[in-house]
């Protein structure tokens, strides 16, 4: 059991670690050769140029301006200086709202901490329950942190009314803050959607489960269906192809093209030096063995050959009915029409012609669009079962590691280390630092596993993939990191004691009942205060040192310089090497939610933990604001669609804290307070339902009034807008439209000719415009696009 001195040593270690990371970052960011690592976003936007390109040879690598080192911490005020509207314009609404999660943590926990230290800490500290228990049982152990917690209140004491009142106060404050923040984010989202520039997804819906028809292709069937049912608003459609094989081929061609560019650049430099030495390569694996050939000729030949294969594969995809999926992106003339289609049922059969808002083109995960819709239910069932086993079997190694990561566990496994472990400094380090590190290491590969599961499930948008992975990560954190550390770790460590002892052995912590149903809440009641020190160490390791390590970006720094030295051959290579990627919502947000959960659970039980959480939220807000401004380049924009998940998880944490407090007070024989506590989760769930009905529709549906206003304003500003030309290529698979201009143009012309052919279906007779276009033939898309509603 870690003492206050152990916690102090752990805090000193983590503070020094965090400070060292911050100082190292402040120095490294000033060096010209690291500029692309710490400011990649500005390079990708074309707004920054390398300071290493000019000046003396030494100054290209090292900053020789000594005055700049005196202001090595000026990045902090600079990160806070950018106003939120400018931040939204610079980084997007998703990034700005993500930062508001940290602000929400400060808004909730700063007042709660002040109130808890003014009221709860004196109430807990002024008892002598633990000292009296030490007199009765000399083997009984506790520390100064326990004296500040609810453990120091005697069984059946009237002082528990203070904790009850504080539980109500903290719940009402949390709900009030959540309501105001939900209201603010909803307003920001609607304003963002109303003021945002024109985007293809505003006019487009994704149609899935298109029924098969022996007489028409999917494209023809989709066109005819929407001409019949949306005759005044339909504009165009783009069917979904299974192009996964083509994608692999295009990636290979890009790799070969990059090698060709490098060798051509190398040859041009040798000519400039009048050497005229043609580069060579070997045809074997990675160019390490095989026949030695002329590199330029070899890669040119390989690219030409692969280009032919790519062209053949494209033609095969376009001509083969098996390559066309029963899905399509359907675009409309107005946002209003798209909103009506996306938010309504199209036929009497609710399993056919399913419509939903199309993700923005950057957000589309093209690989999963090729999955048949009927497979999705099976895939999600399989992944659900797999996640269940992953969650509960992962608890075994986590509990085992937590057992070893303490003094008693190490002594049992390695008794010869007892003299070393008993040294005060080593003992303090193990109890105050090792448990957090052990848990952190065990969770390294989990986010990648959960993201892979989400991809297998078949979600079609990157944002949806990240939200699903985040929800699973959060559930995993609750079961394994939180409840596992509280219950499973303690039970694993003292398994024999928990099985054979009678509940009356817990004089301080348990009621005098001996049935098994009482033993479970008794375990929780005992373990929650005992594990407060573990969570304090985890917050310091992960929240303090980990956050400071995030801004240092040591791993990306090393990888960039290795790539730059060994792999970067062209400017395109350099851009790919320095691209920091997006924020990583699937890992960051669930990790933040763990701090909300721990803080809400311990705000009444052990308030001493709360300042550590406040330090985390404050430090993380500054660090990630800097990273969003200078480093991360968001891959997509969902207009803060994740906020309902954030709100729901904090509500879940609040309900869990209330239920655990009820269990804890039951073990302390505070029976009169239990009925009053039952009302808290009921009121909290009612509040969540109210917020869900009040605000969540703005994150799922687009108001028709807003759509009509934006359409009217756009028609007034741009009366001659060629919307069809704007949307023509928006949802064509990237490997069809971006590889070479000639083929892309030919592809578009062919698609224009093939979009509608004379239909063989009898249902075409019901099309409301037959007389205008003559008999059985359908209008061309260009004719339909220029019709006035």
């Amino acid at each position: 059991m870690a003492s206050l001195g152990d916690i102090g040593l752990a805090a000193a270690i983590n503070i020094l670690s965090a400070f060292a990371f911050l100082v190292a970052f402040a120095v490294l960011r000033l060096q010209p050769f690291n500029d692309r690592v710490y400011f990649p976003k500005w390079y990708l936007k074309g707004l920054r140029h390398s300071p290493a390109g000019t000046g003396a040879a030494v100054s290209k690598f090292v900053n020789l301006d000594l005055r700049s080192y005196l202001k090595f911490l000026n990045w902090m005020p600079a990160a806070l200086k950018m106003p939120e509207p400018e931040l939204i314009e610079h980084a997007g609404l998703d990034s700005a709202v993500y930062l508001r999660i940290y602000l929400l943590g400060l808004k909730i926990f700063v007042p709660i901490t002040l109130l808890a230290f003014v009221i709860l800490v004196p109430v807990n500290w002024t008892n002598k329950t633990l000292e009296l228990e030490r007199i009765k049982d000399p083997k009984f152990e506790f520390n100064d942190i326990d004296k500040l917690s609810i453990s120091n209140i005697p069984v059946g004491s009237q002082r528990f009314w203070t904790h009850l009142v504080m539980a109500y106060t903290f719940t009402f404050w949390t709900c009030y803050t959540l309501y105001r923040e939900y209201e603010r984010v909803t307003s920001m989202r609607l304003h963002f959607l109303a003021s945002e520039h024109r985007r293809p997804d505003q006019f487009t819906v994704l149609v899935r489960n298109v029924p098969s028809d022996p007489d028409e292709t999917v494209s023809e069937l989709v066109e005819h269906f929407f001409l019949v049912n949306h005759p005044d608003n339909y504009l165009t459609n783009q069917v979904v192809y299974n192009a996964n094989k083509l994608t692999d081929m295009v990636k290979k061609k890009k790799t070969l093209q990059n090698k060709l560019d490098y060798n051509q650049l190398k040859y041009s430099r040798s000519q400039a030096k009048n050497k005229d030495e043609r580069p060579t390569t070997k045809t074997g694996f990675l160019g390490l063995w095989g026949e030695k050939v002329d590199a330029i000729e070899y890669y040119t030949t390989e690219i030409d050959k692969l280009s032919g294969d790519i062209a053949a594969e494209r033609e095969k995809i376009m001509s083969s009915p098996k390559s066309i999926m029963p899905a399509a992106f359907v675009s409309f003339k107005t946002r209003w029409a798209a909103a009506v289609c996306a938010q309504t049922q199209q036929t009497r059969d609710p399993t056919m012609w399913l419509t939903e808002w199309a993700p923005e083109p950057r957000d589309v995960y093209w690989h999963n669009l090729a999955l048949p819709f009927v497979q999705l239910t099976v895939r999600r069932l399989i992944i659900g079962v797999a996640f269940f086993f992953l969650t509960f079997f992962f608890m075994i190694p986590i509990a085992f590691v937590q057992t070893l990561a303490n003094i008693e566990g190490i002594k049992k496994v390695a008794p010869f280390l007892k003299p070393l472990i008993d040294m005060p400094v080593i003992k303090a380090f193990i109890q105050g630092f090792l448990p957090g590190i052990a848990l952190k290491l065990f969770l390294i590969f989990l986010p990648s596993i959960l993201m892979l599961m989400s991809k297998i499930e078949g979600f079609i948008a990157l944002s949806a993939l990240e939200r699903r992975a985040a929800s699973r990560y959060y559930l995993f954190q609750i079961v394994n990191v939180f409840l596992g550390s509280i219950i499973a770790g303690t039970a694993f460590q003292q398994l024999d004691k928990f099985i054979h002892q009678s509940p009356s052995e817990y004089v301080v912590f348990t009621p005098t009942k001996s049935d098994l149903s009482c033993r479970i809440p008794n375990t929780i009641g005992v373990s929650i205060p005992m594990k407060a020190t573990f969570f304090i160490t985890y917050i310091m390791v992960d929240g303090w040192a980990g956050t400071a390590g995030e801004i240092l970006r040591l791993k990306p720094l090393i990888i960039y310089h290795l790539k730059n030295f060994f792999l970067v051959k062209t400017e395109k290579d350099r851009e790919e090497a320095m691209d920091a990627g997006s924020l990583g919502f699937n890992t960051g947000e669930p990790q933040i939610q763990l701090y909300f959960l721990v803080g809400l659970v311990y705000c009444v039980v052990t308030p001493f933990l709360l300042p550590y959480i406040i330090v985390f939220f404050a430090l993380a807000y500054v660090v990630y604001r800097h990273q969003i401004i200078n480093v991360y380049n968001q891959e997509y924009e969902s207009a803060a669609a994740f906020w309902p998940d954030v709100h729901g998880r904090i509500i879940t944490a609040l309900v869990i804290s209330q239920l655990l407090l009820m269990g804890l007070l039951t073990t302390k024989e505070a029976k009169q307070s239990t009925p009053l506590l039952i009302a808290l989760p009921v009121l909290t769930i009612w509040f969540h339902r109210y917020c869900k009905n009040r605000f969540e529709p703005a994150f799922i549906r687009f108001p028709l009034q807003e759509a009509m206003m934006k359409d009217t304003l756009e028609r007034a500003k741009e009366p001659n807008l060629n919307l069809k030309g704007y949307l023509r290529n928006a949802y064509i698979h990237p490997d069809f439209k971006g590889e070479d201009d000639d083929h892309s143009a030919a592809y578009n012309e062919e698609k224009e000719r093939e979009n509608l052919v004379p239909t063989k279906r009898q249902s075409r007779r019901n099309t409301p415009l037959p007389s205008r276009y003559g008999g059985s033939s359908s209008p061309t898309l260009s004719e339909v696009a220029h019709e006035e509603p």
Side-chain angles (χ1 to χ4, degrees):
M1 181 180 294
S3 65
L4 195 58
D6 299 335
I7 296 297
L9 179 61
I13 293 173
N14 283 283
I15 290 173
L16 290 175
S17 300
F19 184 75
F21 290 150
L22 294 177
V23 172
F25 160 73
V27 173
L28 289 174
R29 68 186 282 269
L30 295 175
Q31 312 311 316
F33 68 100
N34 292 329
D35 205 58
R36 291 179 182 269
V37 178
Y38 293 113
F39 301 96
K41 189 169 189 173
W42 299 100
Y43 281 92
L44 295 174
K45 287 190 171 188
L47 300 175
R48 191 180 180 97
H49 301 284
S50 176
T54 59
V58 177
S59 63
K60 291 182 179 181
F61 300 96
V62 180
N63 186 349
L64 300 178
D65 184 7
L66 298 179
R67 290 176 297 178
S68 62
Y69 292 95
L70 300 178
K71 302 177 181 179
F72 67 95
L73 291 180
N74 63 351
W75 64 270
M76 289 187 175
L80 300 173
K81 192 176 295 183
M82 183 180 287
E84 189 171 65
E86 186 178 340
L87 181 65
I88 294 173
E89 182 70 22
H90 173 69
L93 186 63
D94 281 344
S95 298
V97 172
Y98 181 85
L99 288 174
R100 294 192 71 87
I101 304 176
Y102 295 107
L103 282 180
L104 179 63
L106 292 174
K107 292 176 183 177
I108 290 176
F109 288 111
V110 169
I112 285 178
T113 302
L114 294 175
L115 203 58
F117 271 78
V118 170
I119 297 176
L120 284 179
V121 169
V123 170
N124 296 334
W125 179 262
T126 52
N127 288 277
K128 297 186 178 181
T129 304
L130 297 176
E131 296 176 357
L132 294 175
E133 187 60 29
R134 171 76 62 82
I135 296 174
K136 296 178 182 178
D137 182 7
K139 296 182 179 180
F140 182 77
E141 294 184 0
F142 68 92
N143 54 46
D144 291 335
I145 297 176
D146 293 325
K147 293 174 67 176
L148 299 173
S149 73
I150 200 172
S151 301
N152 203 31
I153 305 294
V155 173
S157 172
Q158 294 297 315
R159 295 194 176 199
F160 288 120
W161 285 103
T162 306
H163 300 80
L164 177 66
V165 173
M166 287 295 99
Y168 269 89
T169 304
F170 296 162
T171 297
F172 288 154
W173 171 251
T174 302
C175 290
Y176 170 77
T177 309
L178 282 173
Y179 179 85
R180 294 298 301 271
E181 198 66 21
Y182 213 152
E183 186 178 44
R184 171 63 178 161
V185 173
T186 302
S187 176
M188 291 171 65
R189 173 180 168 85
L190 293 176
H191 177 75
F192 179 81
L193 293 175
S195 61
E196 192 182 20
H197 299 300
R198 182 171 52 251
R199 290 195 328 190
D201 54 292
Q202 297 170 348
F203 299 88
T204 307
V205 300
L206 175 62
V207 183
R208 308 186 78 174
N209 242 26
V210 177
S212 60
D213 191 293
D215 298 322
E216 290 189 327
T217 65
V218 173
S219 179
E220 295 165 358
L221 188 60
V222 169
E223 186 112 29
H224 291 154
F225 178 86
F226 284 95
L227 276 174
V228 171
N229 296 285
H230 299 266
D232 296 328
N233 298 299
Y234 170 77
L235 184 58
T236 184
N237 79 83
Q238 174 58 53
V239 296
V240 174
Y241 293 96
N242 184 352
N244 293 338
K245 182 179 178 181
L246 176 64
T247 299
D248 296 335
M249 298 171 69
V250 170
K251 287 181 179 178
K252 183 178 179 181
K253 182 180 176 180
K254 288 180 179 178
T255 302
L256 292 174
Q257 184 64 50
N258 208 34
K259 292 180 179 179
L260 175 61
D261 293 341
Y262 167 71
N263 283 282
Q264 287 176 335
L265 179 62
K266 185 178 180 181
Y267 180 57
S268 64
R269 288 176 178 173
S270 69
Q271 286 182 317
K273 297 178 181 179
N274 297 319
K275 293 183 179 181
D276 197 27
E277 296 177 359
R278 293 185 66 84
T280 60
T281 187
K282 294 182 179 180
T283 58
F285 178 71
L286 295 178
L288 299 177
W289 56 74
E291 182 184 356
K292 195 172 185 180
V293 296
D294 184 285
I296 296 177
E297 293 180 359
Y298 172 74
Y299 288 125
T300 301
T301 303
E302 289 295 313
I303 290 173
D304 291 341
K305 179 182 176 182
L306 191 56
S307 295
D309 294 339
I310 289 174
E313 180 66 20
R314 280 176 173 149
E315 297 300 326
K316 178 182 176 182
I317 291 172
M318 291 165 56
S319 59
S320 173
K322 294 182 179 179
S323 299
I324 302 176
M325 307 306 298
F329 292 99
V330 179
S331 298
F332 294 84
K333 296 178 181 179
T334 63
R335 297 172 181 82
W336 182 90
V340 170
C341 181
Q343 297 164 185
T344 55
Q345 182 175 317
Q346 303 304 307
T347 66
R348 66 176 61 184
D349 185 352
T351 65
M352 294 294 179
W353 295 99
L354 304 177
T355 56
E356 58 182 296
W357 278 110
E360 69 158 321
R362 294 181 303 165
D363 194 18
V364 177
Y365 186 65
W366 294 97
H367 184 84
N368 280 352
L369 283 176
L371 296 176
F373 188 79
V374 292
Q375 285 188 12
L376 297 182
T377 303
V378 178
R379 283 170 169 260
R380 290 173 186 177
L381 175 62
I382 294 173
I383 293 301
V385 174
F387 177 70
F388 173 83
F389 285 104
L390 173 69
T391 301
F392 285 95
F393 279 101
F394 218 88
M395 188 180 295
I396 297 174
I398 283 184
F400 182 72
V401 169
Q402 289 302 308
T403 300
L404 294 182
N406 58 69
I407 298 297
E408 291 77 14
I410 295 176
K411 286 181 179 179
K412 290 179 181 178
V413 174
F416 60 89
L417 294 177
K418 186 176 182 300
L420 179 65
I421 293 173
D422 287 337
M423 295 176 61
V425 175
I426 302 298
K427 180 180 178 181
F429 175 80
I430 292 174
Q431 292 190 327
F433 197 74
L434 187 58
I437 286 288
L439 183 56
K440 183 74 174 173
L441 292 175
F442 246 84
L443 298 176
I444 286 178
F445 300 106
L446 181 65
S448 300
I449 296 173
L450 297 179
M451 179 58 77
L452 178 62
M453 286 183 167
S454 298
K455 291 179 179 179
I456 294 174
E457 281 188 284
F459 290 96
I460 61 167
L462 296 174
S463 56
L465 288 172
E466 291 199 346
R467 289 201 297 271
R468 172 51 70 97
S471 65
R472 290 222 163 102
Y473 195 11
Y474 178 63
L475 182 59
F476 186 93
Q477 298 261 40
I478 291 177
V479 174
N480 281 293
V481 178
F482 184 74
L483 294 179
S485 297
I486 288 177
I487 301 174
T490 304
F492 193 90
Q493 182 180 349
Q494 300 178 349
L495 185 60
D496 183 72
K497 184 176 181 180
F498 274 110
I499 292 176
H500 297 98
Q501 73 177 3
S502 66
S504 60
E505 289 182 28
Y506 284 119
V507 178
V508 177
F509 298 107
T510 64
T512 58
K513 296 180 181 179
S514 58
D515 58 290
L516 182 61
S517 63
C518 184
R519 189 166 297 183
I520 295 174
N522 173 55
T523 300
I524 297 175
V526 173
S527 299
I528 289 177
M530 287 174 59
K531 284 296 179 180
T533 53
F534 163 73
F535 285 113
I536 290 174
T537 61
Y538 182 77
I539 291 169
M540 289 189 294
V541 171
D542 181 71
W544 294 8
T547 302
E550 156 68 26
I551 201 169
L552 178 60
R553 305 192 73 231
L554 185 58
K555 179 181 175 182
L557 178 69
I558 296 173
I559 291 176
Y560 169 76
H561 284 301
L562 289 176
K563 286 183 175 180
N564 193 41
F565 188 78
F566 293 106
L567 301 178
V568 169
K569 302 172 181 178
T570 64
E571 192 62 29
K572 186 178 180 181
D573 279 345
R574 185 169 285 106
E575 287 185 3
E576 292 178 353
M578 73 176 178
D579 187 5
S582 56
L583 191 60
F585 176 82
N586 60 307
T587 56
E589 192 271 343
Q591 197 68 9
I592 302 171
Q593 295 296 338
L594 178 63
Y595 294 103
F596 278 102
L597 175 62
V598 172
L600 291 172
V601 167
Y602 281 96
C603 62
V604 176
V605 177
T606 310
F608 182 77
L609 176 142
L610 293 176
Y612 297 87
I613 290 182
I614 291 176
V615 172
F616 159 73
F617 279 118
L619 177 63
Y621 176 72
V622 177
V623 166
Y624 280 98
R625 209 172 200 275
H626 174 276
Q627 301 296 78
I628 284 172
I629 292 173
N630 299 298
V631 178
Y632 293 121
N633 187 34
Q634 195 64 16
E635 194 171 0
Y636 59 84
E637 178 59 62
S638 70
F642 57 82
W643 190 260
D645 297 332
V646 174
H647 177 89
R649 286 169 194 146
I650 296 176
I651 290 292
T652 301
L654 195 57
V655 172
I656 290 175
S657 70
Q658 295 158 355
L659 295 177
L660 292 181
L661 181 62
M662 278 195 290
L664 179 58
L665 291 182
T666 300
T667 66
K668 305 286 279 184
E669 296 188 4
K671 300 178 181 178
Q672 296 177 346
S673 62
T674 302
L676 293 174
L677 278 175
I678 293 175
L680 268 183
V682 175
L683 292 174
T684 303
I685 294 172
W686 173 85
F687 166 76
H688 175 60
R689 296 296 304 174
Y690 172 78
C691 289
K692 188 179 182 68
N693 295 331
R694 171 68 178 82
F695 299 116
E696 192 169 325
F699 294 83
I700 300 174
R701 297 184 287 272
F702 188 46
L704 296 181
Q705 182 185 31
E706 297 285 337
M708 181 62 75
M709 289 173 58
K710 196 165 181 63
D711 287 332
T712 304
L713 183 63
E714 186 173 75
R715 280 195 297 268
K717 288 184 176 181
E718 301 178 73
N720 299 320
L721 173 66
N722 181 11
L723 185 60
K724 183 183 176 183
Y726 172 73
L727 296 171
R728 182 193 303 273
N729 296 333
Y731 285 99
I732 291 177
H733 194 286
D735 294 325
F736 277 113
K737 70 176 183 179
E739 191 59 20
D740 63 82
D741 295 335
D742 294 337
H743 183 88
S744 182
Y747 171 79
N748 292 331
E749 291 174 5
E750 186 173 353
K751 287 301 296 177
E752 185 70 20
R753 292 194 301 269
E754 292 182 353
N755 255 327
L756 274 183
V757 297
T759 180
K760 301 174 183 178
R761 295 176 65 243
Q762 296 298 316
S763 64
R764 183 66 185 91
R765 296 175 181 174
N766 297 325
T767 303
L769 304 172
S771 60
R772 190 177 304 180
Y773 302 99
S776 61
S777 65
S778 301
T780 64
L781 278 179
S782 59
E783 290 172 321
V784 175
H786 287 89
E787 290 174 8
E788 292 296 327

